[in-house]
Amino acid sequence: MRNMKIVGFAVLGLILITVLSACSGGGKNIAIGPPASETNSVSKLILEAYGIGDDDYNAYQEGFGDAADGVQDGNIAISIGILGLPAGSIESLHASTGDVKMLSLSDDAISYIEENSGYLRYTISQDMYDFLDSDIETVTAYAILMGNTDTISEELGYELAKTMVENANENTHAQAEHMTLENALKGSEDLPIHPGAKRYYEEQGLTVDNPVAELNINDIKNDLILGTGSQGGTYYPLGGEIATIWNNNIEGLSVTNTETGASVENLATIGDGNMDLGMTVHVPALDAVNGTGDFEGNEVTNAAFIGHIYPEVVQIVTRENSGIESLDDLK
């Protein structure tokens, strides 16, 4: 039963769930994700957009499995999350409680978040979940693939990008439906692009305005490491299928997917030279190449965009019995 409740929860960047429900005492209990995670960072930015300070709530900074239990039990009042659509974790929570409510962000909050981060406005259609009775206004980031410019040659970058798009139909994961040529450059804005990926996309008629990364290949590698996320999240199983498709369709290539802490860890490990490919959210990727945010003073100079994977949408849920209609109710 516990496994059913945590299905779909992603670690560090794949999930931002903060579930709001009533709790006793002063402030509400809000699950904001583990310290130094993308979930934690975005949760704080969202609350900041509403003028909600640290003293206005009780921060719950543990793993998402425990957070889901707390929401179901009524011990945690809120959850804000970066998730694929539809999110299995939210569907599972609603199946257990029968009273999940999703909250929209206000126009002012969305403007504040866009001005202070790389997140962009996104509308969740009413028909995405059975329990919705209207569209939900929120923000989104994009899960993308970054490659190590010290180990991924131009030709290999070309083949990796091509195979991601043209063989996506071999991928059984639900989020693979987003890996299309139409979506291929989403999340790439202001990131350096791998020259091999650029060549493929331009051959397909796309306009690529990104700066082109310089390659520094000293030794051609056929055995590559792909950093994903936790086994309980989206990155790990999806990345495993992507690796298998590459291995089956690119002659002589062997890609091994490995469990990691997801976005930030993958980018840092590429920067250290110990990883060839990494799945990440585009927002920390921008921080990595610019030496900002979690990468202040530690700019990653050898990472380049290879392709879009899927949109990771901020989804904020509470339960009907919380009485919460908006994040404004926390003030």
Side-chain angles (χ1 to χ4, degrees):
M1 185 66 180
R2 176 178 172 78
N3 288 338
M4 292 176 63
K5 287 185 284 188
I6 66 173
V7 167
F9 280 87
V11 176
L12 299 179
L14 289 175
I15 277 189
L16 174 66
I17 280 191
T18 311
V19 181
L20 303 147
S21 75
C23 63
S24 58
K28 301 290 187 183
N29 290 342
I30 304 181
I32 63 172
S37 69
E38 183 65 10
T39 298
N40 194 287
S41 298
V42 179
S43 293
K44 290 179 177 178
L45 180 62
I46 290 171
L47 295 173
E48 183 179 292
Y50 280 86
I52 299 168
D54 292 344
D55 295 336
D56 297 324
Y57 68 96
N58 304 312
Y60 186 87
Q61 302 188 85
E62 302 301 325
F64 296 104
D66 290 339
D69 289 343
V71 170
Q72 181 171 336
D73 296 342
N75 296 320
I76 292 178
I78 299 182
S79 198
I80 311 168
I82 311 175
L83 306 163
L85 284 171
S89 54
I90 291 178
E91 292 178 323
S92 178
L93 182 62
H94 183 66
S96 299
T97 65
D99 68 345
V100 168
K101 177 191 292 186
M102 187 169 289
L103 305 179
S104 280
L105 295 174
S106 68
D107 289 341
D108 287 345
I110 291 172
S111 295
Y112 182 88
I113 294 163
E114 288 182 327
E115 290 169 3
N116 290 278
S117 73
Y119 289 84
L120 303 170
R121 177 186 285 270
Y122 190 94
T123 300
I124 300 174
S125 173
Q126 176 182 343
D127 61 9
M128 188 58 61
Y129 294 101
D130 291 341
F131 60 84
L132 293 181
D133 55 16
S134 64
D135 291 347
I136 299 294
E137 296 303 318
T138 183
V139 292
T140 189
Y142 294 99
I144 61 173
L145 179 73
M146 297 289 282
N148 188 332
T149 56
D150 295 335
T151 64
I152 306 296
S153 67
E154 180 175 341
E155 186 58 33
L156 181 53
Y158 178 96
E159 293 296 332
L160 291 170
K162 176 181 179 180
T163 305
M164 284 179 68
V165 172
E166 297 186 6
N167 297 88
N169 61 335
E170 299 174 22
N171 195 320
T172 65
H173 196 285
Q175 298 305 327
E177 67 181 29
H178 300 286
M179 295 164 60
T180 64
L181 188 63
E182 178 184 14
N183 294 332
L185 295 175
K186 288 184 177 179
S188 69
E189 291 81 0
D190 299 321
L191 288 172
I193 192 169
H194 192 283
K198 177 178 186 290
R199 177 160 60 91
Y200 171 70
Y201 296 133
E202 288 184 333
E203 284 182 0
Q204 304 309 306
L206 299 183
T207 300
V208 181
D209 295 325
N210 305 64
V212 183
E214 294 185 9
L215 303 184
N216 183 29
I217 311 296
N218 295 317
D219 185 28
I220 300 297
K221 295 178 62 176
N222 294 318
D223 297 323
L224 305 180
I225 300 297
L226 167 65
T228 58
S230 70
Q231 292 192 33
T234 300
Y235 280 10
Y236 185 81
L238 178 56
E241 293 213 31
I242 295 172
T244 297
I245 291 168
W246 281 330
N247 294 339
N248 290 342
N249 291 280
I250 302 177
E251 185 175 357
L253 184 66
S254 176
V255 180
T256 301
N257 65 302
T258 184
E259 181 180 13
T260 70
S263 294
V264 173
E265 181 179 333
N266 292 342
L267 291 160
T269 308
I270 287 175
D272 292 340
N274 296 316
M275 185 177 288
D276 307 292
L277 298 159
M279 299 171 70
T280 179
V281 175
H282 84 276
V283 178
L286 285 168
D287 284 338
V289 301
N290 292 324
T292 56
D294 288 330
F295 295 89
E296 186 77 42
N298 294 291
E299 180 181 352
V300 177
T301 60
N302 64 327
F305 177 88
I306 290 180
H308 165 272
I309 305 176
Y310 68 96
E312 294 197 294
V313 182
V314 170
Q315 299 171 63
I316 308 174
V317 293
T318 185
R319 293 181 60 183
E320 293 285 352
N321 64 9
S322 71
I324 296 170
E325 300 295 333
S326 163
L327 289 177
D328 281 319
D329 295 340
L330 297 180
K331 292 186 288 186

